[in-house]
Amino acid sequence: MKVKAAVMWEVGQPLDIREVDLDEPKAGEVLVKVGSAGICRSDRHFMHGDAPIAIPVVLGHEGAGTVVQTGPGVTLASEGDQVILSFVPACGRCRSCLEGHSNLCDLHAATGANMLDGTTRLHADGKDVHHMGKVACFAEYAVVPETGVVPLADSIPMDKAAMIGCSVTTGVGAAIYSAEIKPGSTVAVIGCGGVGLSVIMGAALANAGQIIAVDIREAQLEFAMRFGATHTVNAADQDPVRQVKDLTGGRGADYTFEVFGSGDTTKAAYDMAAKRGIVTVVGIAPWGQEASINAVDLVRNEKTLRGSYYGSARSRTDMPVMVDLYQSGKLNLDDLVVRHYTLDQINEAYADLDRGEIGRGAIMF
Ligand code: APR
Ligand code: ZN
């Protein structure tokens, strides 16, 4: 079928909104009519060439929609299901999946921006077009692996469902599944975009005592207070490490999170952690960038430095938990999504992200 999609032909160029060819779903795949797609910084990393990806490609990995067709042998979803799209469709058979870490599925990692059989369903001008995260939801329709859809029991607004597909699961998951924040503890979150605000919501859910939002923009910091931040630190004014230490009686925070993506902010997250502090890196730094830490401090203060990918979550069981938390009023997704765009406006949507507009943007179809 012909569908409208935003194609990235080259690094550094605006996305090209045009018609592309989309094949039928093959065995174990489903066709989804996309309802909403989130404007996440991860796509921006590819557009800027900060992270490698096969091109041409249809980006978009934070999405939700409705299943309209199932390929042969599909058992995990049915026509008409509202689904959240997962950008790590777990194979269920590799070592990572079998050990319960389906967010790190080996087969998904090995096949990159292609479907699980290594081929693409998207084509344009005689070329194969790749699928970011096997989602490629900057398009009216997407063919995705059946393990990459999470059907919802009750329907929720598409833009909120889309957020659960990336920022919310990544951020809330980092707080509760990766770091396992303990009640009453102190938390600092560097970077308060869609993902950072979700870490803050996760910290609030875990009953953290002090939640310190750190950003370089005042509007972001004010906005963070709505999601559970108790204190704010403007990193553009003064050294954020010093400020977080001042707010925590000189100790530093028990849990710190890096949610922007750079070597410098990773180092800052490490430096502002308390003795026995847990440092969780969520943001994706430009490829090859390194973060230097004081190797002796690591030992003498028994700090833990860890990464968190997709919130250490298992999409098919943990995303429904996020939906329940939203429905019971414990996750404020209604305030999180503040800007709506059409697919034709996608380049403007990314310009707004670059300008640092508050909250999350979403494309509505
Ligand atoms: N210190 C603190 N905050 C900063 C700094 C800095 N030096 N530089 C930028 N920021 C803030 C921005 O002002 C913005 O509020 O970080 C925030 C980043 O938010 P978004 O651009 O909305 O990014 P988001 O989509 O939340 O993704 C954050 O997580 O999943 C990864 O790839 C993603 O690396 C990205 C990160
Ligand atoms: Zn994302």
Side-chain angles (χ1 to χ4, degrees):
M1 68 197 282
K2 300 261 183 218
V3 303
K4 191 160 57 158
V7 183
M8 178 175 122
W9 291 99
E10 266 178 80
V11 166
Q13 296 297 313
L15 299 179
D16 180 21
I17 297 122
R18 54 162 285 162
E19 257 189 3
V20 298
D21 296 300
L22 181 62
D23 299 340
E24 301 241 310
K26 290 198 177 170
E29 298 174 355
V30 300
L31 174 68
V32 173
K33 183 176 195 308
V34 180
S36 177
I39 302 298
C40 179
R41 180 158 296 277
S42 298
D43 304 288
R44 199 54 160 168
H45 295 324
F46 296 119
M47 292 181 225
H48 284 161
D50 288 339
I53 194 163
I55 50 170
V57 63
V58 172
L59 299 173
H61 63 283
E62 179 171 88
T66 308
V67 174
V68 290
Q69 192 188 335
T70 55
V74 167
T75 55
L76 297 177
S78 315
E79 259 175 52
D81 284 352
Q82 185 188 19
V83 291
I84 297 175
L85 303 174
S86 165
F87 62 81
V88 181
C91 74
R93 286 190 284 267
C94 71
R95 180 158 181 165
S96 298
C97 284
L98 290 171
E99 288 180 347
H101 305 293
S102 59
N103 60 318
L104 304 178
C105 173
D106 302 344
L107 181 61
H108 169 70
T111 47
N114 296 308
M115 299 303 277
L116 290 166
D117 68 358
T119 64
T120 78
R121 304 291 163 269
L122 288 163
H123 316 276
D125 298 347
K127 286 196 174 122
D128 287 341
V129 176
H130 301 274
H131 305 241
M132 177 181 175
K134 301 176 180 56
V135 172
C137 62
F138 290 161
E140 295 169 315
Y141 289 85
V143 169
V144 298
E146 64 173 323
T147 52
V149 298
V150 182
L152 303 189
D154 309 317
S155 80
I156 62 170
M158 283 291 184
D159 53 344
K160 304 346 175 223
M163 299 301 119
I164 294 173
C166 175
S167 51
V168 171
T169 297
T170 300
V172 175
I176 66 177
Y177 303 135
S178 311
E180 301 185 72
I181 293 175
K182 291 196 176 71
S185 53
T186 54
V187 176
V189 180
I190 303 181
C192 301
V195 185
L197 293 171
S198 298
V199 174
I200 290 172
M201 286 194 274
L205 264 178
N207 287 316
Q210 213 176 0
I211 304 176
I212 306 169
V214 183
D215 206 288
I216 49 171
R217 292 193 174 92
E218 207 50 51
Q220 242 76 0
L221 292 171
E222 240 169 71
F223 195 58
M225 302 292 288
R226 261 199 240 179
F227 299 88
T230 59
H231 298 74
T232 62
V233 158
N234 191 328
D237 296 345
Q238 269 181 47
D239 176 22
V241 174
R242 183 74 267 139
Q243 295 186 75
V244 167
K245 289 208 163 163
D246 287 348
L247 285 169
T248 51
R251 287 190 73 240
D254 300 321
Y255 299 89
T256 68
F257 295 86
E258 194 290 334
V259 206
F260 166 62
S262 80
D264 288 349
T265 43
T266 298
K267 177 171 168 48
Y270 176 83
D271 288 341
M272 65 176 64
K275 269 189 188 169
R276 307 211 73 249
I278 313 276
V279 183
T280 305
V281 182
V282 179
I284 315 243
W287 237 240
Q289 215 173 74
E290 296 187 351
S292 75
I293 56 162
N294 181 320
V296 175
D297 172 80
L298 177 69
V299 178
R300 294 195 51 185
N301 289 315
E302 288 199 350
K303 291 187 182 179
T304 301
L305 175 63
R306 66 159 298 168
S308 171
Y309 188 60
Y310 219 163
S312 308
R314 300 161 204 186
S315 302
R316 294 184 57 85
T317 49
D318 294 330
M319 284 183 183
V321 172
M322 302 296 155
V323 174
D324 286 349
L325 289 168
Y326 166 63
Q327 287 179 311
S328 59
K330 292 181 180 139
L331 281 181
N332 179 10
L333 309 192
D334 291 329
D335 282 350
L336 184 65
V337 195
V338 290
R339 281 165 284 118
H340 292 98
Y341 307 90
T342 63
L343 183 61
D344 291 311
Q345 295 171 315
I346 191 163
N347 290 307
E348 293 156 48
Y350 272 99
D352 287 345
L353 182 88
D354 290 345
R355 262 199 303 280
E357 298 281 335
I358 55 162
R360 199 64 155 183
I363 292 170
M364 303 303 290
F365 291 87

